[in-house]
Every structure is written in structure tokens, then in C-alpha cells.
Amino acid sequence: TFSPDGTPTNGIFVWFDDLNGVNKVKNEIAKRFEKAGIAPYWKIDTYRDFEFSKDLMLQFQSDRTLFLLIAGVILIVACCNIISLLVLLVNDKKKEIAILQSMGASFKSIAAIFGICGVAMGALSCLLGSSLAILTLSHLDKLVSLLSSLQGHNAFNPAFFGQTLPNQLSYEALLFVLIATPLLSLAAGLIPAIKASRIRPSSVLRSE
């Protein structure tokens, strides 16, 4: 008999943790009601159908899309930084690369060196970023209090976000970051690796 928006109701609210399965639960309840012969007397709605939450859920979905786009831009910038750093490293180490080639190092081994450098940079930044994210989540309430005190009002309106922000760590997202970041770093390191493998030792050593 509890209504989230405070309006009187004679219905029954079903609460569960996994909101992604809301349609599955709705269909299961409808089947049970149909089997019991009471389906015509009940209207089954999900939280997405409530009048008070429709606009709010649309806003949350828009915010999520916006944050995903921002994250994508950040990833592109990070990959470009890795490419720039490795290209500078290749240009700075031309002489050393030429010496290695003249000593018998293959093009693949030279390219592998800079590819591993890209993966190492990505893995290190991934571990550092994940650690900072976990640290932020564990002290989220203090961070919100600090932001509120700096602004002079609540940083997050309790009417929309509740008294506390969710600070549960998503292990699926963490696993995705730990896998995707080294792969993206490897992809970003391919361009400098190919550039390094195409250096001709004779021309480089003659110019030196």
C-alpha cells in the first residue's frame, strides 16, 4: 500500500533489486493473474509507466547517454595522447632502433616493443584510474558534503536523488574497463609500432 509519490493507492508494490528484469517480472505476474482468473481486475504497470516518474526516467536516460558520449570523447583523447607519446618516442629513439635492426632485430620485434609500451601505458593508467574510482566511491558521501558546502546548497537535490547517492561498485563495468583499456592502448600503439618498424637503419645511421 505504499505509494512513492504519496498519493493514496489500494494496489500492491513489488520491489526487487534488478531493474533490468522489470518486464520479465511484469509478464510473470500477468501470467499468474491470468491463470488465477483475476487479470481483468488488476492493472500491472512498471515504474516506467508511473506518471510521476516518466519524465524523470527519460532525464536519467538522457544523462546516461550524455555521460557515455563524454566517456567516448575521453577515450579518444587518451588514445591520441598514447599515439603522440609513442610517435615522439620513436622519433627520439631512431638511432637505437637502427642499431637494433643492424644487429639483426626483425621488424616484428621492433613493432612489438612499442606495442608493449602502449599496452603498459594503458594498463598502468587503467589501474590508477580504477583505484581512484574505488577510492571516490568509498568516500562519496564526504565528497558530496564538500561540494554542497562549497556551493552553499545541496549538490544533489534529495527529491530527485534521494538522501544518499548510490556508491555500489559495478564489477561488470570494472571488468570491462580492465579488459578494454589495454586493448585500446594496443590499438593506439599500432601506428607508432608500424612507424618504428619501417625505419631504415642505413639512412638513419648515415644521418647521425
Side-chain angles (χ1 to χ4, degrees):
T1 58
F2 171 75
S3 175
D5 59 350
T7 57
T9 178
N10 59 353
I12 298 173
F13 281 85
V14 179
W15 301 89
F16 50 94
D17 295 330
D18 187 13
L19 293 181
N20 293 325
V22 63
N23 290 326
K24 182 179 179 181
V25 174
K26 176 183 176 180
N27 295 333
E28 184 64 27
I29 293 175
K31 290 179 181 178
R32 298 290 183 91
F33 281 18
E34 188 72 31
K35 185 177 180 180
I38 59 174
Y41 307 103
W42 292 87
K43 181 182 179 183
I44 305 173
D45 290 328
T46 66
Y47 68 95
R48 298 189 181 97
D49 302 320
F50 295 159
E51 290 297 331
F52 76 94
S53 65
K54 280 184 178 179
D55 295 336
L56 192 60
M57 295 307 300
L58 289 176
Q59 183 62 47
F60 285 159
Q61 292 176 0
S62 299
D63 292 344
R64 182 178 182 180
T65 303
L66 177 61
F67 289 140
L68 286 175
L69 291 175
I70 293 175
V73 172
I74 292 174
L75 282 176
I76 293 174
V77 172
C79 290
C80 291
N81 286 334
I82 292 176
I83 293 174
S84 300
L85 288 173
L86 290 179
V87 167
L88 291 175
L89 182 62
V90 169
N91 292 332
D92 188 54
K93 299 295 182 181
K94 281 184 177 181
K95 182 178 179 180
E96 288 80 0
I97 294 173
I99 293 174
L100 287 175
Q101 289 178 343
S102 63
M103 294 176 64
S106 64
F107 292 156
K108 291 183 179 180
S109 62
I110 298 296
I113 292 173
F114 291 93
I116 293 173
C117 286
V119 174
M121 293 171 62
L124 182 62
S125 60
C126 176
L127 293 175
L128 180 60
S130 299
S131 301
L132 291 176
I134 294 173
L135 181 64
T136 302
L137 283 177
S138 60
H139 298 84
L140 186 59
D141 293 337
K142 295 180 181 179
L143 181 61
V144 172
S145 299
L146 177 62
L147 291 175
S148 299
S149 61
L150 291 176
Q151 294 181 1
H153 59 82
N154 289 330
F156 299 94
N157 193 334
F160 295 98
F161 298 96
Q163 297 299 324
T164 57
L165 293 178
N167 60 351
Q168 291 82 10
L169 177 64
S170 173
Y171 292 100
E172 293 82 3
L174 180 61
L175 181 62
F176 173 78
V177 170
L178 293 177
I179 295 176
T181 303
L183 292 178
L184 288 174
S185 302
L186 176 60
L190 288 179
I191 297 176
I194 294 173
K195 179 179 176 61
S197 66
R198 291 183 175 179
I199 291 178
R200 295 294 176 263
S202 57
S203 58
V204 174
L205 294 178
R206 189 182 303 113
S207 63
E208 293 290 339

